[in-house]
């Protein structure tokens, strides 16, 4: 029998009727015969073994060709299940089945072509709200940007549409766009990178919309600055300071979209007074004075857990200040105590612990309240402010083996704070070292360093500022300022004018014992604590040249605020005399992102 006659015997209706049996003449295929003829693996379906008889296969499946069918899942040959012939009949047929090999081969190819044709994605239809031609689409009264616009259109326009915003990725399926009109649609903003991937754009019409020129639209201003597409002039409707301003003429500098905040990061379950940070052996550490346990607690950064953990401690009695000072490569810690005297400790790297090396003379330092370290002409010093009636605020100098008393500034003034700073007495002159002593019995006193005698001399005081508890300084663009803390009355910010400090700002501060300026990156802050209300964080306004309210923190009886920088992370440590010591993370947020 010829191939053609066998093909003619096949009922075409079988091609549309799965699970029907083919004519008996075609049921003589073996696995080896199909494999040799079709040159592809012949796979058995799950129930093939139950149907296999005499070495012949039924319910054949064929592994799809990935190039043609874009799928690796197998399909039944022609969509049919074969009935098997008994082996005896197969043997009697002999070579009668040979022509059927070619029939199976042709039918397999036909099946593959039909399946391939069936898997071709349908060409997107024109949305109901649009009128489409080969290259253009015009949409009216659309509630949103349709996703079924033909992908090869080069011009897309929306007229009298009802949407006021556009979803991200609305034009991802029309990459060939050259002309896009979103005019007169009451749009207030556009999602960032809405035009990304539209490299062929030559004209964009955004006129007649109600754009709010805030940080969310900053990206559009930047895009307008570098796009090659023609964009007609568009205008801001808000905020009020930008109303009717041409968006095309704005720059990214017109948008202040970076904000910061202090976010709670960690609680330390103990009270504290002073907190200091220092670098030692290429690592950053924090040391905290705990008055009730009498300890200096040292913390280090856990690079895995991303938190601060205990590193070591120095045990004492009524500890008020733990002041670290690193001279060359050696770490020393000055521990000021209300009882039992004050001491100096050295870090022994071999024993891996702190060892007491020196006592501070108890006749001069009776009630220490603050310690400041500084360096003048390669010599290291520290000064202790003594707040007792019979004590002396005293400066100590490093002599290579220890610290010895260098100068007593004055006696019986009950000093509560000492601040080291450098200021110039005349414009265009070098800055010289100064000390400012705060006292409960007199106005803050300014001492100036005398290079000839290597001593500080009493220069002047700060007028009209009685009852100042502490003075801390900061610099902005080369100008020196001080923050003066008062427990009763207003705290102040003052600016150095060349011969005296001048009053520039007052802050209500009932119950305040700390007014700490600190700089984090390019941000200048001042933090005013209070025993009776929330802690106020102020941010420096460069245009106004003064501080403005920025944030409130809930810290019980704060006594110090310290900036700690580790691994490009910035933290604020807030000590508390009555509650837990708190750690805040300095967070920078870009509102235009």
């Amino acid at each position: 029998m010829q191939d053609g006659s066998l093909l003619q015997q096949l009922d075409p209706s079988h091609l549309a009727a799965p699970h029907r049996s083919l004519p008996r003449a075609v049921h003589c295929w073996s696995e080896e015969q199909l494999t040799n003829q079709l040159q592809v693996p012949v796979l058995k379906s799950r129930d093939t073994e139950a149907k296999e008889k005499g070495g012949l296969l039924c319910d054949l499946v064929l592994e799809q060709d990935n190039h043609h069918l874009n799928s690796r899942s197998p399909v039944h040959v022609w969509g049919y299940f074969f009935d098997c012939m008994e082996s005896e009949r197969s043997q009697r047929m002999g070579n009668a089945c040979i022509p059927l090999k070619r029939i199976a081969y042709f039918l397999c190819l036909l099946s593959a072509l039909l399946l391939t044709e069936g898997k071709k994605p349908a060409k997107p239809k024109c949305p109901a709200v649009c009128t489409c031609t080969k290259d253009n689409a015009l949409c009216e009264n659309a509630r949103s940007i349709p996703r079924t616009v033909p992908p090869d259109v080069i011009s897309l326009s929306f007229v009298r549409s009802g949407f006021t915003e556009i979803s991200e990725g609305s034009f991802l399926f029309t990459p060939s766009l050259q002309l896009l009109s979103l005019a007169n649609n009451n749009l207030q903003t556009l999602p960032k990178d809405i035009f990304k991937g539209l490299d062929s754009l030559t004209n964009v019409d955004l006129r007649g919309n109600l754009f709010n020129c805030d940080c969310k639209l900053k990206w559009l201003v930047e895009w307008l600055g570098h796009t090659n597409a023609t964009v007609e002039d568009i205008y801001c409707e808000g905020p009020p300071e930008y109303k009717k301003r041409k968006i095309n003429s704005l720059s990214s500098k017109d948008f202040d979209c970076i904000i910061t905040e202090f976010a709670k990061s960690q609680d330390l379950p103990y009270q504290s007074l002073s907190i200091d940070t220092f670098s030692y052996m290429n690592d950053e550490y924090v040391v905290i004075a705990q008055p009730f346990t009498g300890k200096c607690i040292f913390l280090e950064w856990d690079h895995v857990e991303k938190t601060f953990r205990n590193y070591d401690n120095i045990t004492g009695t009524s500890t008020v200040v733990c002041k670290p000072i690193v001279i060359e490569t050696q770490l020393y810690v000055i521990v000021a105590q209300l009882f039992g005297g004050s001491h100096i400790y050295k870090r022994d790297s071999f024993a891996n612990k702190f060892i007491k090396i020196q006592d501070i003379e108890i006749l001069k330092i009776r009630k220490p309240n603050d310690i400041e370290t500084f360096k003048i002409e390669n010599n290291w010093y520290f000064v202790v402010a003594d707040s007792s009636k019979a004590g002396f605020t005293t400066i100590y100098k490093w002599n290579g083996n220890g610290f010895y008393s260098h100068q007593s500034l004055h006696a019986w003034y009950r000093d509560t704070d000492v601040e080291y700073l450098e200021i110039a007495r005349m414009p265009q002159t070098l800055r010289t070292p100064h000390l400012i002593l705060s006292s409960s019995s007199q106005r803050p006193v300014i001492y100036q360093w005398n290079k000839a005698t290597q001593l500080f001399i009493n220069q002047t005081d700060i007028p009209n500022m009685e009852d100042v508890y502490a003075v801390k300084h900061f610099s902005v663009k080369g100008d020196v300022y001080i923050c003066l803390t008062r427990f009763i009355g207003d705290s102040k910010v003052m600016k150095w004018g060349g011969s005296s400090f001048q009053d520039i700002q007052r802050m209500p501060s009932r119950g305040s014992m700390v007014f700490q300026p600190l700089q984090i990156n390019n941000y200048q802050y001042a933090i005013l604590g209070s025993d009776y209300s929330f802690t106020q964080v102020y941010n420096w306004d460069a245009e106004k040249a003064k501080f403005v309210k920025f944030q409130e923190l809930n810290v019980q009886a704060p006594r110090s605020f310290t900036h700690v920088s580790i691994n490009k992370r910035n933290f604020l440590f807030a000590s508390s005399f009555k509650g837990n010591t708190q750690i805040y993370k300095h967070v920078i947020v870009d509102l235009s992102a």
Side-chain angles (χ1 to χ4, degrees), residues 519-545:
Q519 185 173 6
I520 302 178
N521 298 329
N522 296 322
Y523 302 95
Q524 180 65 54
Y525 300 100
I527 307 178
L528 181 62
S530 173
D531 284 8
Y532 305 128
S533 61
F534 287 103
T535 291
Q536 299 294 329
V537 182
Y538 295 89
N539 190 18
W540 181 260
D541 189 317
E543 293 184 0
K544 298 178 181 179

Side-chain angles (χ1 to χ4, degrees), residues 17 78 83 123 218 446 497 562:
W78 312 314
D83 293 331
K123 186 176 181 180
K218 179 182 177 182
I446 302 175
T562 306

Side-chain angles (χ1 to χ4, degrees), residues 257-430:
C257 298
I258 304 297
I259 65 170
T260 62
E261 68 172 346
F262 291 99
K264 191 72 168 292
S265 174
Q266 191 175 346
D267 256 353
L268 303 178
Y270 45 76
Q271 295 84 6
S272 58
L273 280 179
S274 72
I275 299 177
D276 279 281
T277 180
F278 63 95
S279 298
Y280 178 63
M281 303 293 287
N282 298 319
D283 278 318
E284 296 292 326
Y285 297 89
V286 178
V287 57
I288 302 175
Q290 295 180 279
F292 299 109
T293 63
K295 292 183 178 180
C296 294
I297 297 293
F298 292 82
L299 304 179
E300 65 179 350
W301 178 250
D302 189 323
H303 295 271
V304 177
E305 298 295 332
K306 308 301 181 185
T307 58
F308 291 92
R309 66 186 180 191
N310 287 344
Y311 168 70
D312 206 343
N313 68 81
I314 297 174
T315 301
T317 304
S318 300
T319 303
V320 293
V321 181
C322 305
K323 196 70 176 182
I325 178 171
V326 179
I327 300 176
E328 295 179 352
T329 60
Q330 183 60 58
L331 170 64
Y332 301 92
V333 181
I334 306 136
V335 180
Q337 301 181 146
L338 295 179
F339 305 102
S342 298
H343 314 282
I344 300 175
Y345 289 79
K346 173 184 176 180
R347 183 68 180 179
D348 190 322
S349 58
F350 295 101
N352 197 29
K353 65 179 181 179
F354 289 99
I355 301 175
K356 186 169 69 173
I357 63 169
Q358 186 179 344
D359 295 328
I360 297 176
E361 47 196 339
I362 196 170
L363 293 178
K364 290 184 177 180
I365 307 300
R366 295 176 178 269
K367 192 177 179 181
N369 206 70
D370 186 36
I371 299 177
E372 186 82 351
T373 62
F374 53 92
K375 188 177 183 181
I376 301 177
E377 298 175 356
N378 295 320
N379 292 313
W380 280 102
Y381 301 84
F382 73 83
V383 54
V384 182
D386 189 272
S387 61
S388 69
K389 292 181 180 180
F392 295 79
T393 292
T394 305
I395 300 172
Y396 294 84
K397 181 180 179 180
W398 173 254
N399 68 357
N401 295 313
F403 293 90
Y404 65 94
S405 178
H406 178 72
Q407 180 185 3
S408 292
L409 295 179
H410 58 196
W412 311 326
Y413 279 102
R414 302 178 65 181
D415 296 325
T416 54
D417 180 82
V418 57
E419 179 76 354
Y420 174 83
L421 71 165
E422 296 181 356
I423 53 178
R425 283 288 172 177
M426 298 292 293
Q428 308 301 321
T429 60
L430 294 177

